[in-house]
């Protein structure tokens, strides 16, 4: 038989001191810490109101006390504790902060960040400076450590900012209101970043570096603004990268996690700025895009970051407790009177609370004015939530690591920094953190409102009805149910159950009764938001539009007291911003202009379609839940008014650019078809009729199609100049050779609304053919003020009259919507006129349409373009007259002087072209605005005679049958 050699005993966590230290023991501490965290979360969830993080800190202090303050060493676990306790401060921040700060900023609501930004900046900017000064002055004057002002202010900078890690974890546990959580979380993140900049400034001063006012301000500006710029750059670059990733959640997670660490390192180490402010800016940029993830992806994204933040929080709070314990037991090496040192810790805690109170109440009027405002209860909560945590501890450890030189920072000063900071962290977390829930309850800030109580009772009654239905279905079965046992577990509806025994029976079939109009509107808006999500997940709207729709809901909820306001927010985003006029300028390439304009118009159509669809769903849901409720009827009426405005926008878009509507519908149908194929494939997978290899192959093919649709949706086909010319009612009758010549000289332009085609009195250079959209005239051709509100839709040829008579432009022409404008140079028009073959007469007849609407807007404004063209084609007669001929206006007609000059025989007045000659009667069907060159009404005429001064061209439009 073989011999059995003695070997080491099985692995023992608690080996004696003679065990060999190993760096792998650090992994053991991490594993034990996570196990402790899981146990605490499981045990404390329903048993206590003490925040989870406070319990972890106490456990960390207990572990540190056993290792550093007793004879009961913890063996390999103790070795791991010592490794973690001696971790480099910069490494500690670099490992944990990118996760915790990014997750905190990413999970915040962008809308509420915008609303509360001024409040957060006040507390994080001037608030940090004031707090640093107050704490530093108190330490200098009240503490016996003989520190100079720079050293005292250095400690003030470390302790001036609330710690975001501790604050965010606390508020999540307490379930504070969104508004209050946003202010406190945002302020804690920003002011911690600002405090690090201030800390670095005083740290440089303590080490004897330059401290002039100019260098101080320059450093503060570079440290704060530079950090934000770095975060924004990394954030925008990441979002651009994500545009090329489709339906790959793993890549999304990896990219966000990687960028957070790289951005922090770049700011903190390379740029010597604030890595925390960089992470805040980076997280907010990502937060603005989180609504663009579909339902499953968004949920997975939140779950991933919550899990990573939970692990980091567990480790950092237990480690903070260990570091505090180490500082407590090491302070005796520098101070024989430990009791006195603890007394100064309590004094410092009081100073921190006083400084925090002074800062909040100094800015209280401004905090009440900006954002959502602030009441005194919320102000007290903000004061009480000024916790200190791991960030302050890490900064104090940096001081301890840099100490040792009596000229700048002695070893005693470094140890005292860690002790005082650790004590402050301990007291703020235990005292403030443990009593915050009590304070919220005392102020009634965690209680349900009256409307919420009504909703709770309604929901319970609905659950009771469901339980009754369930019991009715199963009572007749032969299964031996014990209804007493079943009812004993349904405690959630016990207080609304009318029977003491089961199965239950209820007679309550009422509707949800909400008397508060604001609550009713909020319910409607939340139903609308869910409809938006459903529409987005169905692929009916794009990523670029869902953010606008979600923001409109948040804005409308804020203004719910004033009625439904979501369309007001959306309508502002449907308008083309002023900078879009740059794209319509000639300096911008036409393809780039076309891309920007069409993208904006497509998004606007998607938004309106989704708005109409979601409001219909929300109205029906509101009526289903509230029944014949007066307040619900009011909200439904407000919604219908908003829907009408959205429909008008879509109708205008259809009239101005029908290709956009066609593209929108095509994309939605394509996505719906591909999703139906995906569902069919899923059904076959559930039925088990396909092998795994076949499923993967088909799934990849289908995902490729969806990705192609996402990246390259159906394009909008803009008509070419030749297409517009060929379908024009007049120009389409020209010979193919003439059309070809015009097409070669034509230049197609897509104009945004309010773009000027030409101005009154400017030199005539081009004729404009409107291919899509509409244009309006702004200034009268007359020398005096005269209102001109004529609109020229698709098919109008503007500037043609001026080209034929050789005059400057008669008025301003401005686009009234997105318009496809075909520019034809004057030289081409003149070349076409020389061809003969009736071209000149055709062009003269075409220009009558524009001239009639320009000179007689009130007469023709009620007619469509097709109707005006029909009137001109069927009832107009054009004649030319030589000099000295006498002309008499015809009864029942409108006469326009297109060229030449006439003299009124009755008044002797000289009339130059263009002009409308007074008509003989007033027609009811065409309202008369018979106006001569002076702009005065001509009244009723039996006849008028004119003598031709220079050869004239006059068109007469018969209105007797109109």
């Amino acid at each position: 038989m073989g011999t059995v050699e003695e070997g080491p005993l099985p692995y023992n966590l608690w080996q004696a001191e003679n065990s060999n230290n190993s760096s792998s023991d650090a992994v053991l501490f991490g594993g034990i810490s996570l196990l402790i965290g899981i146990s605490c979360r499981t045990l404390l969830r329903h048993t206590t109101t003490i925040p989870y993080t406070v319990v972890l800190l106490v456990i960390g202090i207990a572990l540190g006390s056993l290792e550093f303050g007793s004879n009961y060493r913890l063996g390999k676990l103790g070795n791991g504790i010592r490794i973690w306790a001696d971790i480099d401060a910069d490494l500690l921040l670099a490992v944990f902060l990118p996760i915790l700060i990014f997750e905190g900023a990413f999970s915040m609501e962008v809308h509420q960040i915008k609303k509360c930004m001024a409040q957060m900046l006040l507390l994080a900017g001037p608030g940090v400076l004031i707090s640093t000064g107050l704490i530093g002055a108190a330490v200098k004057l009240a503490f016996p450590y003989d520190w100079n002002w720079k050293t005292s202010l250095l400690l003030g900078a470390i302790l001036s900012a609330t710690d975001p890690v501790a604050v965010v974890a606390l508020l999540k546990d307490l379930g504070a209101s969104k508004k209050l959580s946003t202010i406190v979380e945002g302020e804690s993140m920003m002011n911690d970043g600002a405090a690090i900049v201030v800390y670095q400034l005083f740290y440089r001063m303590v080490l004897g570096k330059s401290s002039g006012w100019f260098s101080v301000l320059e450093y503060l500006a570079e440290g704060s603004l530079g950090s934000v710029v770095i975060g924004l750059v990394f954030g925008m670059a990441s979002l651009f990268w994500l545009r090329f990733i489709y339906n790959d959640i793993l890549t999304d997670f990896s990219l966000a996690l990687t960028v957070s660490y790289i951005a922090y390192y770049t700011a903190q180490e390379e740029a010597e700025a604030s890595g925390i402010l960089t992470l805040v800016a980076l997280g907010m940029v990502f937060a603005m895009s989180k609504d663009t993830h579909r339902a499953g992806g968004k949920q997975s994204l939140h779950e991933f970051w919550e899990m990573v933040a939970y692990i980091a929080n567990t480790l950092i709070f237990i480690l903070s407790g260990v570091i505090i314990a180490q500082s407590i037991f090491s302070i005796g090496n520098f101070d024989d009177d430990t009791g006195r040192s603890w007394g100064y810790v309590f004094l410092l805690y009081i100073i921190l609370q006083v400084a925090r109170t002074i800062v909040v109440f100094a800015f209280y009027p401004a905090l009440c004015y900006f954002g959502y405002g602030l009441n005194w209860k919320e102000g007290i909560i903000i004061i009480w939530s000024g916790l200190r945590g791991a960030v302050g501890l890490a900064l104090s450890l940096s001081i301890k690591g840099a100490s040792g030189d009596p000229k700048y920072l002695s070893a005693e000063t470094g140890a005292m920094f860690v002790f005082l900071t650790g004590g402050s962290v301990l007291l703020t977390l235990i005292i403030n953190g443990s009593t915050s829930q009590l304070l919220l309850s005392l102020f009634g800030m965690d209680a349900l409102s009256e409307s919420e109580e009504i909703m709770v009772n309604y929901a319970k009654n609905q659950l009771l009805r469901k339980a009754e239905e369930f019991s009715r279905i199963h009572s007749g079965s032969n299964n031996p149910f014990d209804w007493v046992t079943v009812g004993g577990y349904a405690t959630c509806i016990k207080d609304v159950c009318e029977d003491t025994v089961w199965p239950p029976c209820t007679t309550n079939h009422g509707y949800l009764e909400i008397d508060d109009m604001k609550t009713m509107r909020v319910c409607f808006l939340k139903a609308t938001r869910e409809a938006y999500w459903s529409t987005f997940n169905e692929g009916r709207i794009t990523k670029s539009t869902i953010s606008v729709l979600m923001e409109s809901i948040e804005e409308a909820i804020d203004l719910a007291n004033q009625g439904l306001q979501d369309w007001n927010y959306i309508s502002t985003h449907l308008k083309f911003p002023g900078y879009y006029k740059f794209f319509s300028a000639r300096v911008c390439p036409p393809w780039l202009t076309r891309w920007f304009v069409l993208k904006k118009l497509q998004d606007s159509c998607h938004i309106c379609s989704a708005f109409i669809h979601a409001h219909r769903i929300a109205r029906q849901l509101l009526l289903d839940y509230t029944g014949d409720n007066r307040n619900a009827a009011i909200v439904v009426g407000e919604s219908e008014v908003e829907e009408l405005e959205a429909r008008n926008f879509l109708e205008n878009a259809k009239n101005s650019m029908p290709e956009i509507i066609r593209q929108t519908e095509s994309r939605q149908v394509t996505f719906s078809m591909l999703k139906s194929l995906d569902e069919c494939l899923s059904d076959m997978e559930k039925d088990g009729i396909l092998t795994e290899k076949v499923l993967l192959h088909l799934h990849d093919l289908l995902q490729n199609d969806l990705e192609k649709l996402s990246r390259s949706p159906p394009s909008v086909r803009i008509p070419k100049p030749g297409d517009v010319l060929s379908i024009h009612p007049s120009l389409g009758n020209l010979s193919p050779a003439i059309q070809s010549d015009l097409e070669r000289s034509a230049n197609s332009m897509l104009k945004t609304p309010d773009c000027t085609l030409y101005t009154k009195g400017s030199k005539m250079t081009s004729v404009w053919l409107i291919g899509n959209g509409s244009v309006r005239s702004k200034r009268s051709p007359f020398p005096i003020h005269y209102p001109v509100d004529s609109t020229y839709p698709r098919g109008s040829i503007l500037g043609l009259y001026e080209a034929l008579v050789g005059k400057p432009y008669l008025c301003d022409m401005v686009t009234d919507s997105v318009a496809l404008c075909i520019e034809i140079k004057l030289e081409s028009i003149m070349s076409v006129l020389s061809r003969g073959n009736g071209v000149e007469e055709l062009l003269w007849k075409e220009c009558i349409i524009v001239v009639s609407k320009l000179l007689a807007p009130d007469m023709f404004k009620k007619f469509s373009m097709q109707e005006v063209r029909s009137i001109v084609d069927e009832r107009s007669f054009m004649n030319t007259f030589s000099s000295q001929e006498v002309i008499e206006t015809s009864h029942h007609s409108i006469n326009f002087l297109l060229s030449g000059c006439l003299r009124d025989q009755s008044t002797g007045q000289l009339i130059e072209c263009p002009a409308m000659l007074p008509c003989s009667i007033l027609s009811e069907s065409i309202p008369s605005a018979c106006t001569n060159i002076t702009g005065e009404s001509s009244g009723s005429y039996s006849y008028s005679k004119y003598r031709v001064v220079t050869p004239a061209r006059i068109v007469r439009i018969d209105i007797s049958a109109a």
Side-chain angles (χ1 to χ4, degrees):
M1 294 180 62
T3 60
V4 178
E5 298 181 0
E6 293 187 0
L9 292 174
Y11 189 78
N12 184 6
L13 300 181
W14 318 102
Q15 289 182 18
E17 293 182 14
N18 56 5
S19 310
N20 294 327
N21 293 341
S22 172
S23 59
S24 61
D25 294 340
V27 178
L28 176 63
F29 172 74
I32 295 295
S33 297
L34 292 177
L35 184 62
I36 292 172
I38 294 171
S39 302
C40 290
R41 187 176 179 87
T42 304
L43 295 174
L44 298 176
R45 173 168 293 185
H46 303 295
T47 59
T48 181
T49 59
I50 299 176
Y52 162 77
T53 51
V54 175
V55 177
L56 292 182
L57 183 77
V58 173
I59 293 175
I61 293 175
L63 290 175
S65 299
L66 287 174
E67 179 63 27
F68 297 110
S70 70
N71 295 325
Y72 301 98
R73 305 295 293 276
L74 301 180
K76 286 187 173 294
L77 178 61
N79 294 336
I81 289 176
R82 291 179 179 272
I83 293 173
W84 280 85
D86 294 334
I87 189 173
D88 180 76
D90 294 333
L91 179 61
L92 176 66
L93 294 176
V95 169
F96 290 105
L97 286 189
I99 295 174
L100 295 170
I101 302 299
F102 179 86
E103 189 274 337
F106 176 76
S107 62
M108 295 173 70
E109 296 292 339
V110 176
H111 171 75
Q112 296 192 354
I113 291 174
K114 294 178 182 177
K115 286 285 187 180
C116 302
M117 183 60 71
Q119 296 164 306
M120 293 187 293
L121 290 176
L122 276 175
L123 295 174
V128 167
L129 296 178
I130 294 174
S131 182
T132 299
L134 292 174
I135 297 172
V139 170
K140 172 64 178 176
L141 299 176
F143 284 51
Y145 299 125
D146 196 27
W147 292 340
N148 57 34
W149 278 101
K150 295 178 182 179
T151 305
S152 300
L153 290 172
L154 179 61
L155 180 62
I158 293 175
L159 297 174
S160 64
T162 56
D163 184 66
V165 178
V167 171
V168 172
L170 174 70
L171 293 177
K172 285 183 178 179
D173 287 342
L174 297 182
S177 68
K178 275 289 185 180
K179 178 186 79 171
L180 187 60
S181 298
T182 301
I183 295 175
V184 176
E185 289 180 29
E187 179 241 341
S188 65
M189 292 178 189
M190 291 182 181
N191 72 8
D192 214 68
I196 288 182
V197 175
V198 178
Y199 154 81
Q200 292 172 336
L201 172 65
F202 285 113
Y203 181 66
R204 291 159 58 95
M205 291 183 181
V206 168
L207 296 181
K209 296 184 179 180
S210 175
S211 59
W213 280 107
F214 179 77
S215 60
V216 168
L217 295 176
E218 182 183 16
Y219 184 81
L220 290 176
E222 291 178 353
S224 56
L225 297 180
S227 304
V228 174
V229 171
I230 293 173
L232 293 177
V233 169
F234 273 94
M236 299 306 295
S238 300
L239 293 186
F240 180 76
W241 192 337
L242 287 174
R243 292 183 60 185
F244 299 96
I245 299 173
Y246 178 78
N247 200 23
D248 191 349
I249 301 299
L250 182 61
T251 304
D252 289 354
F253 295 165
S254 303
L255 179 63
L257 188 62
T258 302
V259 170
S260 63
Y261 276 99
I262 295 176
Y264 177 84
Y265 177 84
T266 303
Q268 194 73 25
E269 302 298 331
E270 298 298 326
E272 296 185 356
S274 172
I276 291 182
L277 288 180
T278 296
L279 291 171
V280 171
L282 177 67
M284 288 183 179
V285 171
F286 269 83
M288 290 188 292
S289 69
K290 64 184 177 184
D291 284 338
T292 61
H293 293 275
R294 304 199 187 277
K298 184 177 181 181
Q299 182 65 24
S300 300
L301 197 62
H302 278 287
E303 290 175 353
F304 168 78
W305 280 109
E306 284 184 2
M307 180 198 70
V308 173
Y310 166 73
I311 293 173
N313 267 320
T314 301
L315 292 174
I316 202 167
F317 276 98
I318 292 180
L319 179 58
S320 297
V322 169
I323 294 173
I324 291 172
Q326 183 188 40
S327 67
I328 291 173
F329 291 105
S330 64
I331 193 62
N333 299 328
F334 301 95
D335 191 346
D336 296 333
D337 191 353
T338 307
R340 186 187 68 165
S341 298
W342 273 106
Y344 284 116
V345 169
F346 281 96
L347 176 60
L348 183 58
Y349 169 78
I350 295 173
I351 292 172
L352 295 181
Q353 304 310 310
V354 172
R356 179 78 171 167
T357 303
I358 292 174
V359 169
V360 171
F361 278 96
F363 295 111
Y364 185 73
L367 295 175
C368 294
Y369 176 78
F370 291 111
Y372 293 108
L374 200 73
N375 58 44
W376 65 271
K377 294 180 181 180
E378 293 168 335
I380 292 177
I381 296 297
I382 290 177
I383 294 172
W384 202 244
S385 60
L387 309 182
R388 273 65 179 178
V391 174
L393 270 178
L395 296 179
S396 65
L397 288 175
S398 296
I399 297 298
K400 181 181 178 182
S403 62
D405 188 348
K407 181 179 179 182
Y408 300 114
L409 284 171
S410 64
E412 179 183 357
T413 299
M416 190 58 65
F417 264 52
V418 177
F419 177 73
L420 293 175
T421 304
S424 300
V425 172
L426 175 64
L427 293 179
T428 56
L429 276 174
I430 290 181
I431 298 176
N432 298 45
S434 301
T435 58
S436 293
Q437 181 67 62
L438 178 63
L439 201 59
L440 287 172
S441 301
L442 181 64
F443 289 153
M445 299 176 69
D446 59 347
L448 296 177
S449 65
E450 182 179 351
S451 298
E452 289 171 332
E453 289 286 358
I454 294 175
M455 292 180 184
V456 169
N457 291 330
Y458 172 79
K460 287 185 176 181
N461 279 288
Q462 292 296 104
L463 294 176
L464 182 60
R465 291 178 61 188
K466 187 67 177 178
E468 179 189 4
E469 178 185 345
F470 179 86
S471 63
R472 186 172 59 253
I473 294 174
H474 292 82
S475 292
S477 64
N478 296 323
N479 295 325
F481 293 129
D482 181 3
W483 284 112
V484 175
T485 302
V486 174
Y489 285 95
T491 57
C492 59
I493 56 175
K494 188 176 182 180
D495 56 336
V496 295
C497 186
E498 299 174 1
D499 299 329
T500 57
V501 296
W502 277 60
C505 180
T506 178
T507 58
N508 189 337
H509 298 283
Y511 292 101
L512 179 60
E513 296 289 341
I514 300 178
D515 296 327
D516 182 18
M517 281 299 301
K518 178 180 179 181
T519 305
M520 185 68 75
R521 293 190 182 103
V522 169
C523 291
F524 176 85
L525 291 168
K526 289 184 176 179
T528 305
R529 177 167 55 193
E530 293 306 314
Y532 285 149
W533 272 119
S534 177
T535 306
F536 176 60
N537 291 323
E538 292 170 1
R540 299 181 63 178
I541 54 178
T542 61
K543 292 182 178 181
S544 56
T545 59
I546 185 65
S547 298
V548 175
L549 293 171
M550 290 300 170
E551 184 69 14
S552 72
I553 295 295
E554 298 297 335
E555 287 285 347
I557 290 176
D558 291 342
L559 302 173
N561 282 325
Q562 306 173 23
L564 287 182
Q565 301 289 328
D566 50 336
W567 175 254
N568 289 340
Y569 179 87
I570 289 176
S571 62
T572 60
H573 283 74
L574 299 182
K575 299 176 182 177
F576 281 82
Y579 61 82
Y580 267 78
K581 292 183 180 180
F582 168 78
F583 297 120
S584 297
R586 296 178 183 272
V587 296
C588 191
W591 64 267
L592 185 61
T593 300
R594 188 179 299 111
W595 187 88
F596 274 103
V597 174
L598 292 180
K599 182 68 169 60
K600 175 67 176 178
L601 201 54
Q602 289 172 21
D603 289 346
S604 298
C605 292
H606 287 149
I607 289 172
C608 287
S609 298
F611 178 87
I612 294 171
H613 176 71
H615 267 241
R616 283 182 177 178
I617 295 175
R619 287 200 301 268
Q620 187 59 51
L621 285 174
L622 191 67
L623 294 176
D624 290 344
Y625 279 101
T626 61
D628 188 16
N629 184 287
R630 183 178 62 87
N631 291 338
I634 294 174
V635 175
V636 168
E638 293 173 347
S639 170
E640 290 173 344
V641 171
E642 290 190 324
E643 181 183 334
L644 181 61
E645 296 184 22
R647 286 188 171 280
N648 291 336
F649 180 89
L650 280 179
E651 188 64 27
N652 293 334
K654 183 178 180 180
N655 293 333
S656 62
M657 195 67 65
E659 294 82 4
I660 293 291
I661 304 298
R662 192 178 301 114
Q663 184 270 351
T664 301
E665 295 295 334
S666 299
R667 183 193 177 281
Q668 292 178 357
V669 170
T670 304
F671 189 90
S672 299
M673 182 195 68
L674 292 176
K675 290 299 290 185
S676 67
L677 297 181
D678 188 38
E679 292 172 1
C680 180
L681 184 61
S682 299
D683 292 338
M684 287 189 286
E685 180 182 5
K686 293 176 183 177
D687 295 337
I689 62 174
L690 300 178
T691 64
E692 183 178 354
K693 185 176 182 180
V694 172
L695 281 172
L696 289 175
H697 175 70
L698 294 176
H699 183 268
D700 289 342
L701 293 177
L702 190 56
Q703 289 302 311
N704 289 337
D705 291 339
L706 287 168
E707 183 176 0
K708 179 181 178 181
L709 177 63
S710 175
R711 293 183 178 179
S712 304
S715 59
V716 179
R717 183 181 180 277
I718 299 298
K720 297 180 179 179
D723 299 331
V724 178
L725 289 169
S726 62
I727 64 174
H728 191 272
S730 296
L731 301 183
N733 295 326
L734 296 174
S735 66
I738 295 178
Q739 289 188 39
S740 178
D741 290 344
L742 291 176
E743 181 181 358
R744 282 195 296 269
S745 66
N747 184 21
S748 177
M749 299 182 185
L750 201 59
K751 298 286 187 179
T752 58
D754 295 322
C755 278
T756 301
L757 297 184
Y758 53 78
T759 58
K760 177 182 178 180
S762 60
K763 183 180 179 182
M764 202 281 164
T765 57
S766 303
V767 171
W768 295 87
L769 170 60
I770 308 304
N772 272 328
S774 60
V775 178
R776 71 179 185 274
S777 50
K778 286 184 63 175
R779 293 168 62 193
S780 169
F782 303 113
I784 65 170
H785 175 72
Y786 183 74
V788 175
D789 57 357
S790 296
T791 300
Y792 304 91
R794 177 180 181 178
S796 301
I797 304 179
L798 308 177
L800 179 59
Y801 171 75
E802 290 91 331
L804 294 176
V805 298
K807 285 180 173 288
Y809 290 116
L810 297 178
C811 62
D812 293 353
M813 283 292 179
V814 180
T815 54
D816 197 38
S817 65
V818 174
L820 176 63
C821 303
I822 310 298
E823 182 187 25
I824 305 174
K825 293 298 184 182
L826 177 61
E827 294 79 9
S828 298
I829 299 296
M830 295 296 102
S831 175
V832 168
L833 286 174
S834 64
R835 300 282 186 93
N837 298 327
V839 174
E840 183 176 4
E841 292 300 319
L842 185 146
L843 296 181
W844 272 109
K845 197 165 188 178
E846 178 64 27
C847 76
I848 295 173
I849 298 173
V850 174
V851 171
S852 61
K853 291 173 68 70
L854 185 64
L855 298 182
D858 291 334
M859 288 187 177
F860 291 94
K861 67 180 180 182
K862 75 172 185 177
F863 296 109
S864 66
M865 183 67 175
Q866 185 177 356
E867 291 172 333
V868 174
R869 187 178 296 278
S870 177
I871 291 172
V872 171
D873 289 340
E874 297 174 4
R875 305 176 191 170
S876 68
F877 306 92
M878 187 180 303
N879 295 289
T880 57
F881 301 92
S882 303
S883 299
Q884 303 305 314
E885 283 191 67
V886 176
I887 305 170
E888 182 175 336
T889 56
S890 172
H891 294 280
H892 307 292
S893 65
I894 304 174
N895 300 271
F896 294 105
L897 174 62
L898 299 182
S899 65
C901 184
L902 305 178
R903 187 178 299 276
D904 191 326
Q905 298 239 110
S906 60
T907 63
Q909 183 181 18
L910 188 66
I911 303 175
E912 296 181 352
C913 68
M916 184 176 71
L917 304 179
C919 56
S920 55
I921 66 169
L922 299 178
S923 172
E924 293 182 358
S925 58
I926 303 182
S928 179
C930 300
T931 309
N932 55 25
I933 198 75
T934 64
E936 299 175 350
S937 176
S938 62
S940 296
Y941 287 80
S942 59
Y943 65 91
S944 295
K945 290 185 177 182
Y946 306 92
R947 182 177 295 278
V948 178
V949 178
T950 60
R953 183 184 295 268
I954 298 176
V955 62
R956 175 173 59 86
I957 300 177
D958 183 11
I959 61 172
S960 59

